[in-house]
């Protein structure tokens, strides 16, 4: 029996909405690209949303990279993001595995404690986190910022990954025990590779948030040499003072957007697969 695909009017409305939504998402990126290829005169003499005039100022990118230390900010963001994601994966995956595969008194309380923490806005913990890191002598360090980002990602990681570990057959663990594998060996060599779709989905979703995070990076790090990209762009605009170099500013924004945009385009199908697969046994 063939499906007719629904009412023509409903299909037309759906297509119209999706086209409108795609336009609303793509247009700011295109406008940022156009802005990065202009000089200040084009912004002030013409309309800001006009197409850039020839010759296109590709030099805005190298100018921003060199003059405003954009390369250092970019490297700092890479270090913090990858370090946070690696630590978050270890913490979230191991915690989700234990909660999913082992029964112990209070396991349900621990699980719901993590889930409940998802309802608390992270910004409320900003000031207590600052004083805690200050007492631990971890403020103004990459290690402190990485730890904060990683711990903040753990509750969502447990919520997502526990379904993957519950769905895995227990026969795999039993076979590993018979072969002499330890608990750690079973986890790292058998269970963790089988949960790769969930790990990848969790990584991509959190990488986007960690790369763009601003408030904690601003408060917890005050050394200009350790600024991440979001803070660096804000500092870049402040350094321009009374003469904003709009082309350079748009170039900096575009360079901060492109890495995560490419990452999302490459792995968008994996994200969808990971979310649906984890929903089998939540």
């Amino acid at each position: 029996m063939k499906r007719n695909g629904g009412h023509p009017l409903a299909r037309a409305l759906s297509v119209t909405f999706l086209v409108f939504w795609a336009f609303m998402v793509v247009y700011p990126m295109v406008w940022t690209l156009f802005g990065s290829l202009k000089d200040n005169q084009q912004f002030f003499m013409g309309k800001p949303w006009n197409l850039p005039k020839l010759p296109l100022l590709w030099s805005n990118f190298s100018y921003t990279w060199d003059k405003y230390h954009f390369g250092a900010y970019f490297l700092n963001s890479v270090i913090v993001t990858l370090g946070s994601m690696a630590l978050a994966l270890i913490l979230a995956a191991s915690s989700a595995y234990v909660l999913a595969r082992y029964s112990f008194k209070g396991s349900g309380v621990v699980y719901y404690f993590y889930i409940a923490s998802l309802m608390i806005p992270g910004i409320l913990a900003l000031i207590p986190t600052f004083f805690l890191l200050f007492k631990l002598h971890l403020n103004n360090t990459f290690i402190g910022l990485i730890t904060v980002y990683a711990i903040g990602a753990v509750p969502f990681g447990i919520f997502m990954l526990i379904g993957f570990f519950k769905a895995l057959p227990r026969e795999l663990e039993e076979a590993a025990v018979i072969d002499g594998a330890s608990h750690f060996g079973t986890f790292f060599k058998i269970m963790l590779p089988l949960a790769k779709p969930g790990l990848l989905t969790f990584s991509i979703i959190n990488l986007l948030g960690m790369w763009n995070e601003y408030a904690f990076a601003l408060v917890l790090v005050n050394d200009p040499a350790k600024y991440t990209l979001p803070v660096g762009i804000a500092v870049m605009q402040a350094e321009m003072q009374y003469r904003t170099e709009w082309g350079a500013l748009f170039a900096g924004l575009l360079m901060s957007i492109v890495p995560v945009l490419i990452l999302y385009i490459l792995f968008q199908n994996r994200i969808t697969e990971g979310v649906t697969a984890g929903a089998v046994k939540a």
Side-chain angles (χ1 to χ4, degrees):
M1 182 177 177
K2 293 184 178 180
R3 299 178 62 183
N4 56 15
H7 194 278
L9 179 59
R11 292 200 304 271
L13 290 175
S14 299
V15 171
T16 302
F17 173 77
L18 291 175
V19 170
F20 173 76
W21 185 261
F23 175 79
M24 295 296 292
V25 172
V26 173
Y27 177 74
M29 299 181 186
V30 175
W31 191 67
T32 303
L33 174 61
F34 289 163
S36 67
L37 301 175
K38 297 179 181 180
D39 56 15
N40 273 9
Q41 185 177 4
Q42 294 183 55
F43 278 98
F44 295 129
M45 301 302 293
K47 295 181 178 180
W49 50 84
N50 284 352
L51 294 175
K53 297 179 181 179
L54 297 176
L56 301 177
L57 296 181
W58 295 102
S59 59
N60 281 336
F61 292 92
S62 58
Y63 174 77
T64 303
W65 189 271
D66 295 330
K67 180 176 179 180
Y68 293 104
H69 316 292
F70 212 80
Y73 300 149
F74 193 95
L75 179 59
N76 293 342
S77 283
V78 170
I79 294 172
V80 171
T81 302
L82 294 183
S84 302
M85 198 64 257
L87 182 58
L89 278 172
I90 295 173
L91 296 176
S94 57
S95 301
Y97 174 71
V98 171
L99 291 173
R101 310 299 290 192
Y102 295 93
S103 297
F104 57 91
K105 189 175 181 179
S107 60
V109 175
V110 173
Y111 173 71
Y112 287 111
F113 176 80
Y114 277 115
I115 300 305
S117 67
L118 291 172
M119 297 184 290
I120 303 175
I123 196 67
L124 296 180
L126 180 57
I127 302 304
T129 300
F130 172 81
F131 286 110
L132 177 62
L133 293 185
F134 182 80
K135 291 181 179 179
L136 295 174
H137 303 287
L138 291 176
N139 62 309
N140 204 32
T141 64
F142 286 151
I143 295 177
L145 195 58
I146 287 172
T147 303
V148 170
Y149 284 176
I151 293 176
V154 167
F156 176 73
I158 292 176
F159 173 73
M160 171 173 285
L161 296 175
I162 197 169
F164 285 90
F165 290 118
K166 282 185 177 180
L168 298 176
R170 289 200 173 271
E171 289 75 10
L172 295 173
E173 290 174 305
E174 294 171 358
V177 172
I178 293 174
D179 290 338
S182 63
H183 292 294
F184 287 98
T186 302
F187 172 65
F188 284 105
K189 295 181 180 180
I190 298 176
M191 295 302 181
L192 201 59
L194 291 174
K196 186 164 60 175
L199 297 175
L200 184 59
T201 302
F202 170 64
S203 299
I204 299 301
I205 293 175
N206 282 278
L207 278 172
L208 301 179
M210 292 172 179
W211 182 267
N212 295 318
E213 203 284 321
Y214 174 76
F216 280 88
L218 176 66
V219 174
L220 302 181
V221 176
N222 54 34
D223 183 355
K226 297 178 182 178
Y227 285 159
T228 56
L229 271 178
V231 180
I233 291 175
V235 171
M236 171 183 170
Q237 186 176 17
E239 289 179 353
M240 293 177 180
Q241 295 182 351
Y242 303 107
R243 184 180 182 274
T244 301
E245 299 176 86
W246 292 106
L249 188 59
F250 275 104
L253 288 173
L254 192 63
M255 285 189 286
S256 67
I257 293 172
V258 167
V260 292
L261 183 62
I262 293 175
L263 193 67
Y264 182 79
I265 291 174
L266 291 176
F267 294 101
Q268 58 178 330
N269 292 333
R270 295 293 187 90
I271 294 175
T272 305
E273 293 172 2
V275 172
T276 54
V280 175
K281 275 194 177 182

